[in-house]
Amino acid sequence: MCGIIGYSGRRPAVPIILDGLRRLEYRGYDSAGVVVCGAERLLGEKERGRLDNLVRLLALRPLAATTGVGHTRWATHGPPSKENSHPHYSQDETFAVVHNGIIENFHDLRRGLERRGVRFRSQTDTEVIVHLIAQGYEGDLLEAFRRALEQLRGAYAVLLVSSRHPDEILAARHGSPLIVGVGEGENFLASDVPAILPYTRRAIYLKENRVARVTPAGVEVYDLAATARGRGARTSDGDGAGDGAARAARLERSSTTRVVTIDLDIKAAEKEGFDHFMVKEIHEQPRAIEETMRGRVRGGEVVFDDFPLSPARLRKFNRVSIIACGTAWHAGLVAKFAIEEFARMSVDAVISSEFRYANLVLGRRDLVIAVSQSGETADTLAGVREARRLGATVVTICNVVGSSIPRESNAVLYTHAGPEVAVASTKAYTTQMALLLLFALRLARARGAAPRDRVAAVLEQMRALPGMVRETIGNDRTIRQIAAKYHKVYNYLFVGRRYNYPTAFEGALKLKEISYIHAEGYQAGELKHGPIALVDGSFPTVAICVRSPVYEKMLSNIQEIKARGGLVLAVASKSDRRVSRLVDWLVRVPDTDECLSPILAVIPLQLLAYHVSVRRGLDPDRPRNLAKSVTVE
Ligand code: G6P
């Protein structure tokens, strides 16, 4: 989940690398580093902490060159420190690498290298790569790179530079994302699109097990696994990408490389005047939902163009499993209710890291829905591979076009929320719920499980969703006041029922992610089985009490909390007249069908977490210890 960038061209490399790293900082930010190919030797700097530290250092000690690479780190092996920061160098400092991913067999490789006299300078798994390259180098950089990759097990996107080949960057991808930006007389490499957008819109999404050689003059792509295919290489953790790369005996020039034009607004990747990406992304939700629904509702029905699963195929499934992590899992929990309600199928919503190691009973009649904003989450990807191995069909709900999980699924539906930069997910969540609901309705119609007019009525309300989301965001002032009053509290409880117990989970997750306040989400019916013991006058409970078949039950739960002197902040429907009499603070959301209510009810909770975080003097976009895209197990 680190960010990597490379530049090879005619302009000074360092400003371009630093600019790219800034756009990739959401991928990791505990340290940063650059290395460039100087006239006779590699020149580099690295620094612990945020990118600004490195920028300050480079202002004092500028590095002049036109080819180089950079890295922003999220620690996996070895704590954040200068020594563990990338780039990592060979002993004679003629080779340097930056890496994203995990080398699983690095212990063995390190021991072997140490026996041959190599002295390691860091605790990272990455450092073995550069020493292997140095050991295997006999004048042909590409061949030395291949030999090193051959020995690695795990996941990597890795960039290599060498003072002996000063105009060239070698890159390899195996289980971690990497793109090549194609320019005029200059070329780029990056973990993600925003890093290269100011410079070029032409890109190659490097496929699994590909190696790229990037120079100012051009890009060559090689197929690393050409000789490994068909051997069914798998690692012990069930990761189908496994050690496929390790079996390659030679590199073959790839014949299937495509340069695509990225159709993404650069503005979308920037803050546009908001203080933080998170609040910008909260405000983008009406548009993101509109984009997600665009063209998918026609004549009172859901239409997915180019969707490869026919209604006949959708009818054949008898069970659904939803797999996801974090916020995406909460969207999956909401979808469970929707699919059960409309398509009348039994649904499980399982956390990917549990799913991949469960004693799965899956087969051809199982539909697995993977939900992932990034499309790169390692556990979800492994779950997808396992589900497919067992014969299930996988449909992915994803926000990042061309990412790994969609590529390995049978079908994909994209959320079109635009890049989500803040670590805490907001617009990805609401668009996931909207798209999953559309999918539930599509499934329902294919299976003849829901009457046409019921589906048409829900779709009619969905049309109004962007406006209702906008109206809900309009509560910002009230939520700011609540945050001002309760930002110093140590614990929060969030409760809801049915479609909105996942909202309670999500509200609690948002608050702990960015405010570091302990918060728990609970099904309100469980209050009496434990959490109500916590309630006293200083302990706020956030209750989701919108119109639903369990509305009266929620009112009783709120009364139970009030009877024990508890403090209640409620999210209620606009037309409601009863909740307001019971609670301490109230935020209203437009009245809507219960199946749509989680999309509205979560918005005040997103804003609450945001304002509490800001009040506490924290950076909501970059919470400590977390990363946006968790590409390691
Ligand atoms: C990380 C992020 C969360 C996200 C989760 C799943 O924990 O911080 O915001 O919900 O990963 O990510 P995905 O990209 O698969 O939705």
Side-chain angles (χ1 to χ4, degrees):
M1 59 208 71
C2 310
I4 60 183
I5 176 133
Y7 174 79
S8 184
R10 299 192 180 104
R11 294 192 260 176
V14 169
I16 293 172
I17 292 169
L18 291 178
D19 182 44
L21 287 181
R22 182 144 336 267
R23 287 168 221 279
L24 293 177
E25 231 190 334
Y26 69 91
R27 299 182 67 85
Y29 34 78
D30 60 43
S31 56
V34 296
V35 59
V36 295
C37 301
E40 279 150 23
R41 56 192 184 92
L42 295 179
L43 306 168
E45 290 293 352
K46 47 188 174 180
E47 196 54 280
R48 205 191 140 166
R50 293 281 160 91
L51 183 61
D52 285 338
N53 299 351
L54 179 70
V55 172
R56 272 193 294 273
L57 190 71
L58 286 166
L60 298 174
R61 293 183 239 159
L63 308 175
T66 56
T67 290
V69 299
H71 186 271
T72 170
R73 179 169 187 251
W74 189 86
T76 57
H77 292 72
S81 67
K82 193 163 175 167
E83 301 73 54
N84 288 334
S85 310
H86 300 217
H88 291 285
Y89 295 85
S90 59
Q91 296 205 113
D92 63 1
E93 306 204 338
T94 56
F95 303 95
V97 299
V98 293
H99 164 228
N100 171 28
I102 285 186
I103 306 304
E104 288 173 0
N105 58 337
F106 89 99
H107 277 294
D108 294 345
L109 294 171
R110 181 170 175 146
R111 235 176 291 132
L113 285 159
E114 280 172 342
R115 270 200 298 273
R116 275 175 271 154
V118 175
R119 284 194 43 218
F120 278 73
R121 292 180 232 191
S122 79
Q123 295 151 281
T124 63
D125 52 338
T126 302
E127 199 182 336
V128 296
I129 306 174
V130 72
H131 295 309
L132 288 174
I133 292 164
Q135 297 245 319
Y137 182 76
E138 289 167 358
D140 181 343
L141 191 61
L142 197 58
E143 176 56 16
F145 194 41
R146 186 197 66 76
R147 280 192 204 157
L149 298 174
E150 188 176 70
Q151 300 176 59
L152 306 181
R153 246 190 19 238
Y156 52 78
V158 57
L159 305 185
L160 162 69
V161 288
S162 169
S163 55
R164 303 185 195 200
H165 303 260
D167 279 339
E168 157 172 5
I169 305 171
L170 294 187
R173 183 206 156 143
H174 179 68
S176 301
L178 193 60
I179 57 163
V180 182
V182 181
E184 300 286 335
E186 57 183 3
N187 293 296
F188 307 79
L189 286 146
S191 305
D192 200 358
V193 168
I196 60 159
L197 272 188
Y199 309 103
T200 180
R201 284 175 179 271
R202 298 174 64 230
I204 299 167
Y205 287 88
L206 214 58
K207 291 192 182 147
E208 278 292 287
N209 300 319
R210 293 282 156 91
V211 167
R213 182 168 170 270
V214 172
T215 63
V219 178
E220 295 159 13
V221 178
Y222 298 87
D223 192 348
L224 188 59
T227 57
R229 283 206 200 102
R231 294 190 192 182
R234 287 173 50 78
T235 52
S236 54
D237 67 353
D239 173 353
D243 54 356
R247 309 286 166 81
R250 63 180 189 278
L251 287 169
E252 288 180 1
R253 195 72 182 260
S254 164
S255 52
T256 58
T257 303
R258 255 187 348 124
V259 179
V260 295
T261 304
I262 301 166
D263 181 21
L264 196 70
D265 184 0
I266 176 100
K267 277 257 164 233
E270 291 168 359
K271 275 190 220 154
E272 290 171 348
F274 285 97
D275 289 342
H276 300 97
F277 279 110
M278 182 177 175
V279 68
K280 168 186 168 257
E281 286 159 10
I282 290 172
H283 280 81
E284 279 173 352
Q285 288 178 109
R287 207 193 53 201
I289 291 170
E290 209 168 296
E291 290 297 325
T292 301
M293 290 176 55
R294 191 181 298 286
R296 287 172 166 164
V297 181
R298 296 207 283 267
E301 297 277 7
V302 176
V303 183
F304 293 135
D305 291 325
D306 303 322
F307 189 67
L309 305 185
S310 66
R313 184 128 176 238
L314 290 176
R315 272 197 292 277
K316 292 220 171 82
F317 300 119
N318 59 7
R319 214 172 39 154
V320 179
S321 302
I322 303 176
I323 60 170
C325 303
T327 290
W329 178 61
H330 298 153
L333 288 173
V334 172
K336 170 181 159 69
F337 281 92
I339 296 171
E340 287 177 347
E341 177 179 352
F342 295 104
R344 305 300 300 138
M345 293 175 77
S346 160
V347 186
D348 247 354
V350 191
I351 288 173
S352 308
S353 54
E354 288 298 322
F355 181 88
R356 67 182 291 192
Y357 294 118
N359 300 309
L360 293 174
V361 184
L362 282 184
R364 304 190 69 77
R365 300 196 63 196
D366 279 281
L367 174 63
V368 171
I369 304 175
V371 189
S372 174
Q373 187 284 130
S374 62
E376 301 292 348
T377 302
D379 283 322
T380 306
L381 181 57
V384 166
R385 287 175 178 159
E386 189 55 12
R388 291 205 63 187
R389 193 180 68 80
L390 293 169
T393 300
V394 178
V395 173
T396 285
I397 303 290
C398 187
N399 193 39
V400 179
V401 177
S403 53
S404 304
I405 297 172
R407 283 210 307 270
E408 301 212 14
S409 305
N410 299 84
V412 54
L413 294 167
Y414 286 109
T415 43
H416 306 315
E420 193 180 61
V421 175
V423 168
S425 183
T426 53
K427 63 176 178 171
Y429 181 57
T430 45
T431 53
Q432 281 161 357
M433 286 189 285
L435 186 51
L436 282 161
L437 181 57
L438 289 181
F439 184 72
L441 297 173
R442 177 82 198 86
L443 200 57
R445 292 293 293 142
R447 300 171 64 85
R452 196 173 191 283
D453 52 348
R454 170 79 177 114
V455 169
V458 173
L459 291 175
E460 198 45 44
Q461 289 201 45
M462 280 190 88
R463 241 185 246 287
L465 207 49
M468 292 194 284
V469 170
R470 213 166 278 124
E471 188 181 331
T472 307
I473 295 171
N475 285 306
D476 193 47
R477 250 187 79 198
T478 313
I479 298 161
R480 245 179 235 259
Q481 287 167 0
I482 299 174
K485 204 159 162 59
Y486 301 112
H487 68 278
K488 288 194 177 141
V489 170
Y490 291 113
N491 299 287
Y492 270 82
L493 184 63
F494 290 72
V495 292
R497 280 172 176 260
R498 266 172 64 101
Y499 273 95
N500 279 301
Y501 89 70
T503 310
F505 283 18
E506 176 63 8
L509 177 67
K510 285 286 88 82
L511 196 64
K512 60 186 141 194
E513 274 180 317
I514 60 169
S515 309
Y516 318 146
I517 290 176
H518 170 243
E520 286 198 59
Y522 253 94
Q523 295 88 340
E526 276 291 289
L527 268 172
K528 286 202 253 329
H529 300 286
I532 203 157
L534 299 169
V535 168
D536 64 22
S538 64
F539 184 80
T541 300
V542 178
I544 322 303
C545 188
V546 294
R547 296 238 176 265
S548 80
V550 286
Y551 171 73
E552 296 288 342
K553 306 279 174 206
M554 273 306 302
L555 278 186
S556 308
N557 292 136
I558 292 174
Q559 257 150 349
E560 286 156 14
I561 297 165
K562 289 310 298 174
R564 282 150 186 88
L567 188 81
V568 178
L569 322 170
V571 177
S573 301
K574 208 162 140 189
S575 64
D576 193 283
R577 295 290 166 265
R578 293 166 69 190
V579 181
S580 56
R581 282 193 246 127
L582 290 176
V583 301
D584 302 270
W585 289 84
L586 186 68
V587 178
R588 292 188 184 275
V589 299
D591 290 59
T592 186
D593 197 290
E594 188 196 12
C595 68
L596 294 171
S597 65
I599 299 176
L600 302 179
V602 75
I603 289 166
L605 311 189
Q606 296 170 341
L607 287 166
L608 178 68
Y610 172 73
H611 289 306
V612 168
S613 171
V614 172
R615 276 266 167 187
R616 289 166 73 94
L618 302 170
D619 178 350
D621 284 345
R622 292 180 292 194
R624 69 184 179 202
N625 305 341
L626 299 178
K628 181 74 185 155
S629 181
V630 183
T631 53
V632 293
E633 192 176 346

